[in-house]
Amino acid sequence: MKRKRILYIESNMDGTIGGSYYSLLYLLEGLNRDRYEPHVLFCQDHILVPRFQKAAQGVLVYDYDPLGSNPLNSWRAIPRFVKHIVLKQPELRKIIKRIEPDLVHLNNTYAANHEWIMACLLNNIRIIAHDRGTRWNTTFQTRVFVRFLDAIIPVSDANMKVIIEEGLRPKRLRRVYNGLDTGKFEEYRSPEARQALREELGIDRETILVGMVGNIDYWKGQLVFARAMEALMRGAGERTSIKGVIIGKTPMGAEAYESEIRGFLKLNNIDDRVRLLGYRHDVPQLLNAMDIFVHASVQPEPFGRVILEAMAMEKPVIATKPGGPCEIVDDGVTGFLVPMNDHVSMRDAILRYIQDPVRAKEMGKAARKAVEMKFPVSRMVRGVEEVYEEILTP
């Protein structure tokens, strides 16, 4: 049987490497190569391209100037539509002729890449979109283009609920959770590796290290985490040695938010105890070095892949609700869920782990088992393949 050729479009342009990249990478690594031939198009070069080149049949880096949905509420709407959707069709046609895909899979959202939806319509190609967290109000243009999608794949029931409540009408709506291969994290869990990285960071054995991972952006809530750490340190005094790390790159447009975080830490004299480490390629090792992991989003998190990664490392986790984390974390069993934008509740949850290290360890072990049972990468791959089969089978 001839393999079906899938063209994946990753349209991120903010300079960061987020969960959408890794979710796509794990999908390609697990894809049934007897049935599917994956090709990937990125709009900018990045450090994961070599890994994608191993996982895909072909990788193309080409900036076609992706644009978000046009609200169609001003005199500029029609010229923008013509420029960014209609006039792009010849160049997209060249890519289609070069790859000849049976299906195009938009890796980010249904609220952008409308030029690709039109291209697939004009060239009689099936097209689907992953919804990894569409965050703005649905525009008229999006409502129109979504109707031509063969499927939307939300990554959580919370995301699927938003699509339904917005009244969007793709031909299919199939929720598929992100997945994780916990076995790939085993090599990073050794006590020796933990101690070596803690020494690199200047963290001694007695110090409790609390950390969070995610691109530095307002909705990710790093400032709430900083406030929680300041309140925790102020309350603990000299009785408990506590430090914090914030790991992640700052995307274009969020520089002021990073400055606000740094300003808060400096103003409260804890900038030497809570540090921003920037982008790191060794996130599993950093998770291993932590004692407690926090996910602090101040808007509903679509899913929260890094929560799975922390759980795979048997870390006691704290995440905000509502959103995808509520489908990952069993509150009080595999972690704690706290209200968004509430640094006091976050501080209290961290303190509960510190005061009861035995329970913290037990919850970390339960968290890993939950990931293995509910979120194996094989289930994610199979879920996506079932969507492909449903669309591509005559």
Side-chain angles (χ1 to χ4, degrees):
M1 183 180 71
K2 182 181 178 182
R3 293 190 299 172
K4 299 295 184 180
R5 195 167 294 175
I6 315 293
L7 172 59
Y8 298 88
I9 309 292
E10 170 54 65
S11 59
N12 178 55
M13 289 287 286
D14 66 8
T16 63
I17 304 295
S20 69
Y21 286 81
Y22 285 99
S23 294
L24 177 57
L25 180 61
Y26 298 152
L27 171 62
L28 298 190
E29 289 176 340
L31 205 63
N32 184 341
R33 291 307 185 85
D34 291 331
R35 295 180 62 86
Y36 303 106
E37 179 183 305
H39 295 255
V40 188
L41 186 154
F42 294 106
C43 293
Q44 58 185 196
D45 200 4
H46 56 87
I47 62 170
L48 290 180
V49 166
R51 290 186 63 179
F52 275 97
Q53 288 173 332
K54 293 179 180 179
Q57 185 74 22
V59 175
L60 174 65
V61 179
Y62 175 71
D63 178 11
Y64 60 88
D65 188 24
L67 188 70
S69 178
N70 185 352
L72 291 177
N73 62 358
S74 74
W75 65 269
R76 291 188 294 267
I78 293 177
R80 282 164 54 89
F81 182 88
V82 171
K83 176 182 178 182
H84 291 282
I85 295 181
V86 177
L87 295 182
K88 286 182 182 177
Q89 294 309 307
E91 59 183 313
L92 299 189
R93 170 66 177 165
K94 290 179 182 177
I95 296 172
I96 288 172
K97 289 186 68 176
R98 172 178 173 179
I99 297 175
E100 297 184 341
D102 297 286
L103 182 144
V104 170
H105 185 153
L106 305 176
N107 190 50
N108 300 90
T109 177
Y110 53 81
N113 290 301
H114 295 164
E115 58 268 74
W116 274 103
I117 299 178
M118 177 172 279
C120 288
L121 283 172
L122 295 175
N123 293 278
N124 195 30
I125 297 170
R126 301 297 185 92
I127 182 167
I128 68 174
H130 236 104
D131 180 18
R132 304 190 186 277
T134 302
R135 296 201 163 274
W136 49 84
N137 292 332
T138 304
T139 66
F140 175 76
Q141 179 176 301
T142 293
R143 290 180 180 278
V144 172
F145 274 96
V146 158
R147 289 179 176 271
F148 298 105
L149 288 172
D150 290 281
I152 292 178
I153 303 177
V155 293
S156 65
D157 290 334
N159 257 28
M160 186 161 64
K161 182 180 178 182
V162 171
I163 294 169
I164 294 170
E165 290 179 347
E166 286 284 308
L168 301 179
R169 297 289 184 269
K171 296 174 185 176
R172 297 170 184 82
L173 189 58
R174 304 287 186 267
R175 188 267 289 146
V176 179
Y177 284 131
N178 289 327
L180 195 71
D181 182 354
T182 56
K184 291 185 177 181
F185 286 76
E186 284 304 305
E187 63 181 297
Y188 306 115
R189 295 180 61 205
S190 73
E192 295 78 15
R194 169 182 164 86
Q195 188 55 34
L197 190 47
R198 286 172 69 95
E199 289 177 1
E200 176 191 323
L201 297 174
I203 310 293
D204 61 36
R205 292 179 181 273
E206 289 71 36
T207 296
I208 295 168
L209 181 61
V210 187
M212 67 174 295
V213 178
N215 294 325
I216 309 293
D217 209 343
Y218 167 78
W219 78 273
K220 286 294 188 180
Q222 284 89 356
L223 184 56
V224 180
F225 173 73
R227 293 184 185 279
M229 292 298 291
E230 187 276 330
L232 183 68
M233 292 172 178
R234 176 164 31 87
E238 299 299 324
R239 291 174 290 128
T240 305
S241 179
I242 304 167
K243 289 189 176 182
V245 289
I246 298 173
I247 299 146
K249 186 174 181 179
T250 302
M252 294 181 292
E255 295 84 0
Y257 183 60
E258 179 187 337
S259 297
E260 186 178 1
I261 298 167
R262 293 186 182 277
F264 175 84
L265 297 175
K266 186 173 181 63
L267 180 65
N268 289 278
N269 298 312
I270 59 170
D271 51 326
D272 61 334
R273 299 174 66 186
V274 179
R275 297 163 52 198
L276 278 73
L277 302 184
Y279 173 79
R280 297 277 299 227
H281 68 278
D282 54 348
V283 168
Q285 295 94 319
L286 285 159
L287 291 171
N288 187 42
M290 295 176 193
D291 297 290
I292 300 167
F293 174 81
V294 176
H295 196 76
S297 298
V298 298
Q299 295 177 10
E301 177 69 45
F303 185 75
R305 163 172 289 282
V306 73
I307 300 173
L308 292 186
E309 295 176 354
M311 292 168 71
M313 300 297 285
E314 293 191 3
K315 299 302 167 181
V317 303
I318 298 163
T320 55
K321 58 183 178 181
C326 297
E327 299 168 46
I328 299 174
V329 177
D330 185 355
D331 192 20
V333 179
T334 60
F336 291 131
L337 294 169
V338 300
M340 293 186 299
N341 216 4
D342 184 346
H343 76 276
V344 175
S345 294
M346 187 175 292
R347 176 206 62 188
D348 292 346
I350 297 171
L351 190 58
R352 290 171 72 182
Y353 281 136
I354 293 173
Q355 293 175 337
D356 193 347
V358 173
R359 186 185 182 191
K361 187 173 182 179
E362 290 174 350
M363 290 174 71
K365 289 182 177 296
R368 180 179 170 88
K369 290 180 181 179
V371 174
E372 292 172 339
M373 292 294 293
K374 189 175 181 180
F375 302 103
V377 71
S378 59
R379 184 175 297 177
M380 176 193 73
V381 173
R382 183 57 191 156
V384 174
E385 287 183 340
E386 286 175 355
V387 178
Y388 292 166
E389 291 166 9
E390 186 176 347
I391 293 170
L392 295 173
T393 301

